[in-house]
Amino acid sequence: MMTRSNRAVALLAIAAAAALPAHAESGWSLLNMTQGVTDISRKIYDLHMLIFWVCVAIAVVVFGAMLYSIVTFRKSQGAVADTTIVHNTRVEIVWTAIPVVILIAMAVPAARTLVEIEDTTRTELTIKVTGFQWGWNYDYLDRGVSFFSRLDPESDHARELASGIDPNTIPHYLLNVDHPLVVPVGTKVRLLITGADVIHSWWVPAFGVKKDAIPGFVNEAWFNIDADKPGLYRGQCAELCGRDHGFMPIVVDARSKQEFEAWLKDKAAEQKQAATPESAPAPTASSTTTAAPSKS
Amino acid sequence: MAEHHQAHAAEHDEHHDHKPHGWRRWVYATNHKDIGTMYLIFACTMFFIGGAMAMVIRAELFKPGMQLVDPQLFNSMTTMHALLMIFGAVMPAWTGLANWMIPMQVGAPDMALPRLNNFSFWILPFAFSILLATLFVPGGAPAGGWTMYPPLMLQNGACFPMVIFAIHLMGASSILGAINVVVTIMNMRAPGMTLLRMPLFVWSWLITAYLLIAVMPVLAGAVTMLLTDHFFGTTFFTAAGGGDPVMFQHIFWFFGHPEVYILILPAFGIVSEIIPTFSRKPLFGYEAMVYATASIAFLSFIVWAHHMFTVGMPLAAQLFFMLSTMLIAIPTGVKVFNWTTTLWKGSLSFEPPMLFALAFLFLFTIGGFSGLMLAIVPADYQYQDTYFVVAHFHYVLVPGAIFAIMGGVYYWLPKWVGNMYDQGLAKWHFWLSTIFVNVLFFPQHFLGLAGMPRRIPDYAVQFTDWNMVSSIGGFGFGLSQLLFPYIIIQCVKSGQKVLGNKPWEGAHGLEWELPSPAPYHSWETPPSDALIAKGAAH
Amino acid sequence: MANAHAHAPDSSRYYIPHHSPWPIIGSFALFTVMMGAIAYLNDWASGWSFLPGALLVFIMFFGWFHVVIGENQHGIYNTQVDRSFRMGMMWFIFSEVMFFAAFFGALFYARTLSVPWLGGQGVKVFTNFVLWPSFEGTWPTNGPAHVGGRPDSSFNVIPAFSLPAINTAILLTSGVTITIAHHALRAGHRGTLALFLALTFILGFTFVGLQAHEYGEAYRELGLRLSTGIYGSTFFMLTGFHGLHVTIGAIMLLIIWLRVLRGHFTPQRHFAFEAVAWYWHFVDVVWLGLFIFVYWL
Ligand code: HEA
Ligand code: HEA
Ligand code: CUA
Ligand SMILES: [Cu+2]
């Protein structure tokens, strides 16, 4: 029976797969977790594949047994029930023990990776990330740089109800922002994540980082992008935060250390001389006040 | 004492087993079968309404861009869909089946507390009319997700107190219903129906009832704190006052995780009834099954924070909840293995109930595997709040809980109405459901892994294809469900009379010793010990 | 279904009532209460919107219990029915325990986790460093932003060994008096029964009165209000729900007492009495928890 429905799934999968090349992303990246560009994200990917294959293996055995029974022991095939098979303590013990072993085998590497992820020491750059309805505020602590990052106007326009604009014509529809977060590669960057109004969650799959932004509390997270992998990395808010939860993407612009330092210097200077009273746009001001209730 | 005259009147025709007539039979009901029927009809209605909302979700997600609903309404659809399906469809369906079957299966004349029984039912229509009314109040229906996390939940408009009180009512209803089940099982069993002779459906419902009594009040407490935070200035969930938004999540999931087993344990019970019947072979490892169910229930109290791995818990806590969660795979595995061994060397036939039970075996297990993957904390950082989670829980809920309910109905319907339904049509219902449910939910694993968050009304274009596939599956599955009520109505109206007590030759258990249709009052005189022993064939 | 002819009770059968209007009236009553509350909270109506619901609930309880008591007096209930009632009551009380557990959980969470975290202890150093630099995170507290309290947002707590201690004594005594009443009932000493039952609910109402007085003081003098941060929240929700339960319990005791005066209950069969007694012991135990964790420690 499964075989039949599985075939149906397979067919549809193929049908859909045929349409895939239409998009920039390769077929595989649409089927599985990204390996990402950090040591941690790769470890997570390996962990994910490990559990996946373990489950597949178990599935082969268990489903195999089920299918075999379904095919072999059919009444229509004249099978007669052996009603003596009612219980057997030994097998019960065996199939309790084996899973225990398997689970331990999974738990150990998982625990190791987790310990590593939780180690927030020896970070070289600290950025305060504040989620608000609906966007992000990035504050390079004591580097005099702080700015807001919102959905880019193009996407924002196209996503209006019945806007008539074809999302396929928008580059990086819903995954683009006005001001990306700029970070250096090959650096252990620490994020201090908090929320201004409701809970949000800062998630960039390529870094294997997802941390909730909780109002009134600060969560720590960190990433260290491979030195040879500068580029743009995209993510989205991963905690329902109201009407526009689906429209507060995250874009990280990873640059070489020198480029980053240069950018930071310019940005700091620019923000210094822009720091004249009237220049701060109203919405920004208002959301900063909400952004950090205790700044004052 | 009008009550008494009435009682006598009613009682008089009881002797000729006349059912009371007219609307009173239902509104003033005290009969476990009538109340069970009302529960099941109610559950089916809610399933369709909740499903229709799911269709709105799938339609909006059919392609990128906003075509049908405003984001706020989309979030309301998601929230209401979940609340209706969990509290309106699955839980009442289980209570309905409990009402119908438990007295028949333990050899009791009725539920222990018949008036309380009707009370628990009639609270529901009122509770859900309040909930559904939120769709029409200023500010619209709740849009904070069924998990109702503050502070977002507190931003809801006029619907806010309505949801809270609707949940209070649902909670009261399920607590009273659960108490009735516990008392019936503990006090109404026929002499000779020892605990370890009870059918597994009764066992799993007993354990489910304990879970309900233990966690529904906690949910009531949690939403009460939301209420006072919103209206009376308490700061349970506000850091400024010394509270913590995450505190709500802990309290909610202390209810929420046992809740998901409340949704699945009775399914385990039903599958454990159906598989032996159509394998013509006693269930393998009956006692192991009982202990496994009990351990699952126990473990369900110490795993709640696996829903909260990204909130920034201390390392030790994350490790503890990862390990405790993984443990649940063991008793659940024991059940899966016992079912499989029951098939082994059986004499299998594939009537509709069996088909649904077998699909459950495969598809629930798939959902279980994805659950186990979610338990691995570092990996969960990538899965959490993506469609991978949505895929996980729909596999355990739809081909899990829903299939088991439908299997159960197809299994017992002939006993209830004395007619056989159109099995050919039921098999169509099964195959369409099974194929489409996979088309609907399997691609959601891919979407989640590829990075599509849940609870979003619109998405980046690279997610288009799998969403289209999923939506097509959704519409297909939805339409196929229309067969279900049709088959049942046809069966009641014009079904083939079933001859003898057993429509299924392999069936065991007291319910099959009663004539079909089952008499209005189940076991007025307790079944003989021999009969019980015969039923409890293990 | 042969059962209970009111005159010739057949105790060999389990009594299954036929047709009761009370369940539907009851659920409609609850619905009306909720609608009243909703209308009130949404400013769709004044506080009076509670009245119809409250009225219906009263009618429902009166009517329903009237029927049950009547059936019971006619000896319709055999021992098995009696056992069903007992089990039902026990599990109901258990669900009440779990309801309080939620609020105790909130109290423990606040005291052992959220407040210390806000104060910069444990894993959440930066929470304090970045957001609440000046907050120590000591208990009692109304939070880093000093929510509520007096105009200067200060507040005082009620010392355990003042009124609360007296209240503890009162409740514990009432636990003793009801036990004496129970023994009297078993021994058939109706006089003692009536006397000690009366004592019990008088003590109960006294407790409620003193709590009310304490609340008044807290609001007027101590700046301790429902809105006084997490301390006020947990304090009033826990003691408030407990007070509510004591009130309900005391009313039930009163009703039981009236039934005693009417000659109800026999030394062998008095489920209602025991149910109320259990309930009373339950509010008693909850209070001990409150006294220790809310007032004392
Ligand atoms: C019927 C309901 C049901 C059931 C039975 C389960 C079962 C399980 N669930 Fe699921 N779960 C939900 C309903 C359910 N869940 C819902 C509704 C949510 C989302 C809530 C929300 O956020 O809205 C959720 C979310 C959820 C999460 C949070 C995901 C996230 O938000 O990040 C996690 C994480 O650990 C999890 C884990 C598990 C596990 C380990 C099981 C285990 O019980 C599964 C055990 C079964 C098996 C493992 C398969 C059979 C076993 C064998 C064949 C033996 C051998 C196997 C091994 C040794 C691996 N579930
Ligand atoms: C038992 C519980 C249960 C059940 C049975 C279902 C059934 C279904 N669910 Fe549900 N779902 C949840 C529990 C459940 N779900 C929960 C807990 C959530 C999380 C909510 C949250 O995030 O807060 C969720 C969320 C959820 C989402 C994610 C929404 C989001 O994240 O924004 C989606 C999207 O595809 C979805 C789809 C479906 C579909 C297509 C069905 C189908 O199986 C429904 C099929 C039934 C019908 C369709 C009704 C019958 C047919 C008709 C009414 C006729 C009309 C039909 C047509 C016009 C085709 N569900
Ligand atoms: Cu911000 Cu979701
Ligand atoms: Cu869970």
XYZ file of all heavy atoms in Angstrom, chain C residues 142 146-157 220-225 228:
155
model
N 9.567 44.515 42.736
C 8.562 44.818 41.711
C 9.250 45.070 40.378
O 8.776 45.827 39.549
C 7.682 45.999 42.128
C 8.506 47.221 42.478
O 9.728 47.146 42.565
N 7.846 48.337 42.667
N 10.736 48.833 38.505
C 9.949 49.205 39.694
C 8.504 49.545 39.332
O 8.069 50.687 39.439
C 10.611 50.368 40.422
C 12.016 50.042 40.811
N 12.328 49.128 41.783
C 13.191 50.455 40.288
C 13.637 49.018 41.880
N 14.180 49.796 40.977
N 7.810 48.518 38.876
C 6.441 48.700 38.404
C 5.488 48.792 39.590
O 5.588 48.017 40.541
C 6.040 47.511 37.504
C 4.603 47.624 37.068
C 6.978 47.436 36.307
N 4.575 49.726 39.540
C 3.511 49.828 40.545
C 4.026 50.268 41.903
O 5.081 50.887 42.014
N 3.283 49.933 42.943
C 3.660 50.331 44.287
C 3.209 51.740 44.621
O 2.319 52.287 43.974
N 3.844 52.338 45.622
C 3.492 53.696 46.018
C 3.915 54.665 44.917
O 4.629 54.276 43.981
C 4.202 54.052 47.326
C 3.862 53.122 48.493
C 4.343 53.730 49.779
N 4.138 52.844 50.923
C 5.044 51.967 51.359
N 6.194 51.843 50.721
N 4.794 51.206 52.401
N 3.501 55.919 45.039
C 3.920 56.898 44.016
C 5.422 56.826 43.739
O 5.856 56.914 42.590
C 3.529 58.232 44.641
C 2.342 57.901 45.503
C 2.594 56.512 46.032
N 6.244 56.632 44.790
C 7.693 56.514 44.547
C 8.056 55.072 44.179
O 9.217 54.671 44.291
C 8.457 56.958 45.795
C 8.263 55.956 46.934
O 7.357 55.100 46.794
O 9.000 56.029 47.924
N 7.036 54.314 43.776
C 7.179 52.930 43.309
C 7.844 52.013 44.348
O 8.356 50.961 44.011
C 7.966 52.861 41.993
O 9.346 53.025 42.235
N 7.828 52.419 45.625
C 8.299 51.506 46.674
C 7.097 50.710 47.201
O 5.954 51.080 46.936
C 8.888 52.315 47.832
O 7.823 52.970 48.522
N 7.365 49.640 47.908
C 6.261 48.888 48.527
C 6.804 48.053 49.677
O 8.012 47.823 49.774
C 5.560 47.990 47.515
C 6.372 46.786 47.115
C 6.117 45.536 47.676
C 7.383 46.895 46.179
C 6.863 44.426 47.306
C 8.133 45.786 45.802
C 7.877 44.556 46.360
N 5.935 47.660 50.583
C 6.323 46.766 51.671
C 5.509 45.486 51.598
O 4.413 45.469 51.051
C 6.070 47.437 53.029
C 6.969 48.635 53.200
O 6.629 49.729 52.757
N 8.120 48.418 53.791
N 6.082 44.435 52.157
C 5.360 43.165 52.149
C 4.755 42.930 53.531
O 5.149 43.559 54.505
C 6.294 41.995 51.784
C 7.000 42.287 50.477
C 7.293 41.747 52.896
N -3.851 50.168 50.710
C -3.787 51.553 51.208
C -2.406 51.907 51.729
O -1.778 52.843 51.262
C -4.845 51.763 52.283
C -6.267 51.932 51.742
C -7.203 52.372 52.859
N -6.953 51.595 54.091
C -7.463 50.374 54.320
N -8.221 49.787 53.411
N -7.215 49.740 55.444
N -1.895 51.123 52.664
C -0.641 51.537 53.322
C 0.623 51.014 52.645
O 1.583 51.747 52.454
C -0.631 51.092 54.791
C -1.348 52.057 55.723
C -2.761 51.608 56.022
O -2.912 50.477 56.515
O -3.709 52.354 55.712
N 0.627 49.726 52.280
C 1.905 49.106 51.909
C 2.295 49.320 50.450
O 3.393 48.958 50.038
C 1.847 47.602 52.197
C 1.468 47.223 53.627
C 1.397 45.716 53.769
C 2.480 47.807 54.600
N 1.389 49.864 49.640
C 1.707 49.999 48.220
C 1.815 48.640 47.547
O 2.382 48.510 46.465
N 1.295 47.624 48.216
C 1.330 46.271 47.654
C 0.019 46.015 46.932
O -1.034 45.893 47.568
C 1.540 45.248 48.775
C 1.499 43.769 48.363
C 2.480 43.483 47.242
C 1.784 42.879 49.556
N 0.090 45.999 45.595
C -1.122 45.837 44.796
C -0.899 44.749 43.756
O 0.219 44.296 43.539
C -1.467 47.154 44.097
C -1.447 48.339 45.042
C -2.217 49.522 44.511
N -2.306 50.544 45.576
C -1.404 51.502 45.737
N -0.367 51.581 44.928
N -1.536 52.390 46.718
N 1.817 45.565 41.525
C 3.150 45.863 42.075
C 4.151 44.812 41.619
O 4.588 43.964 42.391
C 3.095 45.934 43.617
O 2.048 46.822 43.990
C 4.408 46.448 44.177
